[in-house]
Amino acid sequence: MTERGSITIRPGGPADAPTVLRLFDSAIAWLVERGRPEQWGVDPVSTDTRHIARADAYARGGGLHLAEIDGTVVGALVVGDATEHVPPATEPELYVNLLVTDRAYAGRGVGARLLAHAAELARQRGLGLLRVDCFRSADRALVRFYEGCGFTATEPFTVSRPGRPPWPGQVLARRLD
């Protein structure tokens, strides 16, 4: 376990899939309240079989890590290989496939702590590159968050979604010493 302040990071497992769905649902509700449904839509993922299967795969895949404060899960990180919608790296890397936090704990550094944990995992594996992608809104709010955590924006990309508007994304990279 790794601790910083009152945030503890632990590995996740199959029993944590419902927790990942809860965090997603909470984040979606928060985004919708702020008029920002473009990132993840408006519907809870906990009722969508495709998202339920994805959360189960995250929980069983070995790359899930959960942040806890006083025994309550307040964030989830999934690391592994890059997804097919981003340009491939030119060197071995660890890729952040998911970062989601409970907005009730905003301002406590949960997301930044999980990203620091991802960097620790990459270093333990002898990797010098950590990458992530995120929603690229017009105001670049999420991109700026990652830049504040030591990442540099690299390639923008767009995911086509039949019947829905395209999803603008941004790849960011962090060199590790």
Side-chain angles (χ1 to χ4, degrees):
M1 271 189 227
T2 303
E3 291 189 55
R4 187 180 108 190
S6 61
I7 300 171
T8 301
I9 309 290
R10 69 167 174 85
D16 293 307
T19 301
V20 172
L21 292 169
R22 176 187 60 80
L23 290 167
F24 262 119
D25 285 351
S26 171
I28 289 168
W30 183 84
L31 288 165
V32 170
E33 283 176 10
R34 280 147 188 80
R36 300 178 72 96
E38 310 86 19
Q39 183 173 341
W40 286 336
V42 298
D43 298 321
V45 298
S46 59
T47 60
D48 181 319
T49 56
R50 184 174 55 94
H51 289 292
I52 292 168
R54 183 181 302 161
D56 188 56
Y58 285 154
R60 294 179 184 284
L64 176 62
H65 301 266
L66 301 170
E68 294 182 342
I69 295 177
D70 299 328
T72 299
V73 176
V74 297
L77 166 78
V78 176
V79 294
D81 296 328
T83 57
E84 70 279 352
H85 62 261
V86 301
T90 58
E91 65 185 89
E93 69 173 341
L94 187 62
Y95 202 87
V96 175
N97 300 110
L98 172 68
L99 178 67
V100 62
T101 63
D102 185 333
R103 301 311 303 159
Y105 291 83
R108 300 278 302 266
V110 175
R113 180 63 192 100
L114 283 165
L115 290 171
H117 184 71
E120 292 170 20
L121 293 170
R123 285 185 192 100
Q124 289 170 3
R125 297 173 189 187
L127 301 170
L129 180 63
L130 180 64
R131 288 195 314 157
V132 64
D133 69 82
C134 69
F135 181 69
R136 188 183 75 242
S137 61
D139 67 2
R140 298 180 77 250
L142 199 48
V143 173
R144 285 194 322 271
F145 164 75
Y146 284 109
E147 288 172 338
C149 292
F151 288 81
T152 300
T154 58
E155 306 92 351
F157 64 94
T158 302
V159 176
S160 297
R161 304 181 306 170
R164 298 186 302 169
W167 192 87
Q170 177 68 56
V171 177
L172 297 102
R174 180 175 168 197
R175 302 290 320 161
L176 305 172
D177 299 328

